[in-house]
Amino acid sequence: MAAARALINVPPKARRGEVIGIKSLISHEMETGFRPNATGQLIPRNIIKEFVCTYNGVEVFRAEFFPAVSANPFVSFTTRATESGTITMTWTGDNGFHASESVAITVE
Amino acid sequence: MTELLTTAVTRRRFLIGAGGAVMVMAAPSARAQFVAEGEARSAAMRAAIKAIVGENSLPQGRIKIELPPLVENGNAVPLSIAVESPMTDADHVKAIHVFTEKNPQPNVAVFQLGPRAGTADIQTRMRLADTQLVVAVAEMSDGSFWRDEVEVVVTLAACLEES
């Protein structure tokens, strides 16, 4: 599986207890499984099914995707800055798709 | 001359009459099929919502879904959802479910969040296969469910074109 390009946006610094915005974007075709190809046969489904965000190993947000999510899935959500550490996002999907991206956050 | 005119009128009348007859014959079955498909799909959406909500009531309120009212390209439609909630351990949003009426599959996405989210405020992008209703359902920690829905007009549909 070719490495997917993932972009995540997390503020590098936050005050303790502050609600921070997190944005994530990953390159993926999100083939629906409902489209015919040139010979009229359906192109098999190939989507990201699950997106998980953990904060120092604790799950804080999870999304389940269906084919109606656009290509290159974008999700924006919030979390409370509790402590300094690492925020990790993981995407898993059809055909063994797996991608992960981490970013450090400093909480003062 | 008179003869020509008569012929022309007759021919025109014939064409109008024949065209009308074809329309009368074709229109009801095509329309019935379209309506039947539409009803089957919105029934699929109701079934998908019922699978989440069960027998609980599903009043409108607390959750707000926003989409552009007129969409030029159904392949990537910005969608934003916000739920009014203090997001505390005792009272928070557990999950947000998004459904569509006329896409090939009624489910769009499920977002699971908890008190650590701070707010229930989510943005994403979705596909819309047709002009239709989009429904968001909020599942709260106290077991209640709330919904909001929006009608979206789509001029270029997603999912239909060949690759």
Side-chain angles (χ1 to χ4, degrees):
Chain A
M1 191 86 216
R5 265 175 59 82
L7 285 173
I8 62 179
N9 186 318
V10 177
K13 278 186 182 178
R15 291 187 315 276
R16 193 173 301 275
E18 186 185 348
V19 175
I20 54 169
I22 297 180
K23 292 187 176 111
S24 72
L25 179 71
I26 185 164
S27 65
H28 193 286
E29 58 186 340
M30 292 294 281
E31 186 59 58
T32 61
F34 297 111
R35 293 193 314 150
N37 63 13
T39 59
Q41 297 205 300
L42 287 183
I43 305 167
R45 191 186 84 168
N46 180 22
I47 64 167
I48 293 176
K49 290 192 281 196
E50 197 176 65
F51 167 74
V52 179
C53 176
T54 60
Y55 191 140
N56 281 348
V58 180
E59 181 181 312
V60 291
F61 182 84
R62 175 186 289 263
E64 188 186 346
F65 294 155
F66 290 87
V69 171
S70 297
N72 307 324
F74 164 81
V75 182
S76 154
F77 57 96
T78 60
T79 194
R80 212 179 277 282
T82 52
E83 54 191 343
S84 295
T86 313
I87 293 180
T88 304
M89 289 170 219
T90 311
W91 295 261
T92 46
D94 290 332
N95 305 323
F97 180 87
H98 183 90
S100 188
E101 199 75 34
S102 293
V103 67
I105 180 166
T106 308
V107 176
E108 290 157 346
Chain B
M1 185 65 206
T2 322
E3 200 184 319
L4 263 179
L5 195 65
T6 318
T7 318
V9 168
T10 314
R11 186 168 169 272
R12 184 176 301 155
R13 279 204 183 136
F14 171 76
L15 284 176
I16 291 167
V22 169
M23 276 172 73
V24 167
M25 280 187 292
S29 64
R31 178 156 173 76
Q33 197 191 344
F34 179 78
V35 169
E37 272 180 23
E39 274 172 8
R41 285 193 178 167
S42 56
M45 179 177 78
R46 283 197 299 273
I49 293 174
K50 198 170 167 46
I52 300 298
V53 176
E55 297 301 324
N56 292 291
S57 65
L58 187 58
Q60 197 150 7
R62 288 190 74 172
I63 182 168
K64 180 91 190 126
I65 179 170
E66 277 181 41
L67 283 120
L70 178 69
V71 173
E72 253 180 58
N73 184 347
N75 281 303
V77 185
L79 160 74
S80 105
I81 301 167
V83 189
E84 285 170 37
S85 166
M87 295 304 273
T88 58
D89 284 334
D91 182 6
H92 59 265
V93 181
K94 272 172 74 182
I96 296 168
H97 307 259
V98 186
F99 303 96
T100 64
E101 192 184 12
K102 288 177 185 166
N103 277 8
Q105 203 179 344
N107 307 73
V108 177
V110 182
F111 303 100
Q112 284 174 34
L113 47 171
R116 284 194 61 170
T119 64
D121 197 345
I122 291 166
Q123 277 119 47
T124 186
R125 292 184 199 132
M126 69 177 290
R127 292 177 166 130
L128 284 168
D130 202 349
T131 293
Q132 59 180 309
L133 203 62
V134 179
V135 180
V137 173
E139 184 180 348
M140 313 301 265
S141 56
D142 65 0
S144 66
F145 292 88
W146 300 84
R147 75 163 210 283
D148 191 19
E149 51 195 47
V150 61
E151 181 82 40
V152 186
V153 175
V154 179
T155 51
L156 173 65
C159 316
L160 300 173
E161 75 276 35
E162 289 180 356
S163 64

